[in-house]
């Protein structure tokens, strides 16, 4: 059942995104969940980076993911939470393209780009239909993707860039550096392939290296408009950043709030 992605990077995921200071999505999704209330379905919940803070606010939330390595970490993290938080959480191992649960939700979220792991039109429509299927009458779907930096698409292919660095808390002198290497851009199908390289150092001596190849679709705004129609969704609000700036020329991301079309 596993997706095959995140099998290697799962163990680095939480530490990496804890030091990625430009990732400001948590307040956006936690506020939305508090405003709209549960039950929430998070499609592509990963290690619970967003799911756990929502559950800690007392909001019931279900998480859906198909990467066993990510879900295993989330299971372990849930065990360390107080009973009142654990009670708010239900996990489903499944694929966002075809999962059909028995429950409807006031809020469905797809935080931090799982939609960019949908590489074909069929998969993109399927994932949005899964979201639409699980919305209750007044239910809201929200998700984010990055706004493509078209002028950078061809630049730096094959080059490694140091992106993030963090200390391994349990081992003094040990640190991990995450490098990013853009490998290939398929401009026809709009899929961008890159490799994360995780290098572990002890006192600045390289002791191990893990790599994981990742692909991300990128989307044009009118493409989403067509996808929403095909999936039976209608846009309610749109933003160009997680700070809710307008979706205009300056947009860094595309963030949508949608409901089921009438
Ligand atoms: C960048 S992570 C985001 C995780 C979490 N939402 C967060 O904000 O940290 C993308 C997640 O989408 C999941 N994913 C990708 N394709 C999927 C699919 N077809 N079905 C279910 N989950 C999928 C991955 O396993 C991964 O956990």
């Amino acid at each position: 059942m596993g997706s095959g992605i995140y099998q290697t990077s799962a163990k680095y995921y939480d530490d990496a995104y804890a030091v990625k200071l430009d990732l400001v999505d948590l307040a956006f999704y936690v506020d939305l969940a508090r405003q709209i209330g549960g039950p929430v379905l998070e499609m592509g919940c990963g290690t619970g980076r967003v799911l756990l803070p929502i559950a800690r606010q007392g909001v019931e939330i279900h998480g859906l993911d198909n990467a066993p390595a990510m879900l295993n970490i989330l299971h372990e993290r849930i065990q360390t939470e107080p009973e009142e938080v654990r009670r708010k959480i239900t996990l489903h191992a499944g694929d966002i393209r075809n999962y059909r649960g028995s429950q409807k939700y006031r809020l469905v979220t797809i935080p931090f780009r799982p939609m960019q792991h949908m590489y074909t039109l069929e998969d993109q429509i399927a994932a949005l239909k899964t979201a639409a299927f699980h919305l209750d009458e007044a239910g809201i779907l929200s998700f984010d993707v990055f706004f493509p930096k078209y002028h950078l698409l061809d630049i730096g292919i094959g080059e490694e860039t140091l992106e993030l660095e963090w200390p391994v808390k349990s081992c003094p002198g040990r640190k991990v550096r995450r490098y990013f290497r853009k490998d290939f851009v398929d401009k026809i199908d709009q899929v961008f392939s890159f490799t994360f390289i995780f290098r572990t150092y002890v006192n600045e001596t390289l002791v191990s290296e893990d790599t994981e190849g990742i692909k991300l679709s990128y989307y044009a705004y009118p493409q989403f408009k067509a996808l929403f129609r095909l999936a039976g969704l209608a846009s309610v609000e749109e933003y160009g950043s997680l700070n809710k700036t307008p979706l205009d020329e300056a947009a860094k991301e595309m963030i949508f709030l949608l409901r089921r079309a009438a």
Side-chain angles (χ1 to χ4, degrees), residues 64-249:
L64 169 66
D65 206 287
N66 70 342
M70 299 292 267
L71 281 179
N72 287 344
I73 291 172
L74 177 50
H75 274 292
E76 277 172 25
R77 293 183 73 190
I78 291 171
Q79 298 321 309
T80 67
E81 292 289 330
E83 164 62 18
E84 66 266 26
V85 176
R86 290 205 305 263
R87 258 193 288 122
K88 298 287 175 194
I89 303 170
T90 306
L91 297 185
H92 305 280
D95 195 306
I96 63 172
R97 290 167 293 184
N98 55 29
Y99 174 76
R100 291 292 178 272
S102 52
Q103 196 173 336
K104 302 288 179 189
Y105 298 85
R106 295 178 75 178
L107 175 64
V108 175
T109 60
I110 323 177
F112 200 25
R113 307 171 180 164
M115 276 305 291
Q116 296 191 252
H117 289 305
M118 302 293 107
Y119 308 118
T120 64
L121 210 48
E122 288 72 23
D123 288 354
Q124 293 161 3
I125 297 165
L128 291 173
K129 281 189 171 170
T130 300
F133 175 87
H134 289 94
L135 290 175
D136 72 13
E137 277 301 297
I140 292 290
L141 163 65
S142 183
F143 72 92
D144 61 282
V145 296
F146 66 63
F147 195 95
K149 295 185 178 114
Y150 289 105
H151 62 295
L152 295 179
L153 273 185
D154 286 337
I155 293 175
I157 296 207
E159 284 169 20
E160 277 182 25
T161 320
L162 174 60
E163 273 195 318
L164 298 171
E165 168 173 330
W166 60 91
V168 179
K169 286 179 207 101
S170 50
C171 302
R174 201 174 179 94
K175 66 172 67 148
V176 179
R177 292 192 175 118
R178 189 178 85 179
Y179 293 78
F180 167 90
R181 189 186 66 223
K182 194 194 286 184
D183 295 321
F184 182 68
V185 182
D186 178 339
K187 289 189 194 168
I188 305 303
D189 286 326
Q190 299 191 161
V191 179
F192 157 77
S193 304
F194 62 94
T195 302
F196 279 145
I197 306 160
F198 300 93
R199 296 197 173 110
T200 302
Y201 298 81
V202 175
N203 300 325
E204 290 303 327
T205 302
L206 179 67
V207 293
S208 67
E209 180 174 296
D210 279 328
T211 60
E212 179 144 59
I214 297 190
K215 292 193 299 177
L216 291 179
S217 286
Y218 56 95
Y219 293 84
Y221 174 76
Q223 179 184 356
F224 270 126
K225 291 294 184 165
L227 287 169
F228 296 157
R229 284 193 197 178
L230 290 164
L233 290 162
S235 183
V236 179
E237 285 173 43
E238 303 177 351
Y239 302 110
S241 76
L242 288 146
N243 294 321
K244 299 193 177 179
T245 53
L247 183 36
D248 61 14
E249 297 297 309

Side-chain angles (χ1 to χ4, degrees), residues 13-29:
Y13 189 91
D14 290 318
D15 288 338
Y17 291 114
V19 294
K20 190 164 166 49
L21 299 178
D22 58 349
L23 182 58
V24 292
D25 57 358
L26 213 48
F28 178 90
Y29 285 108

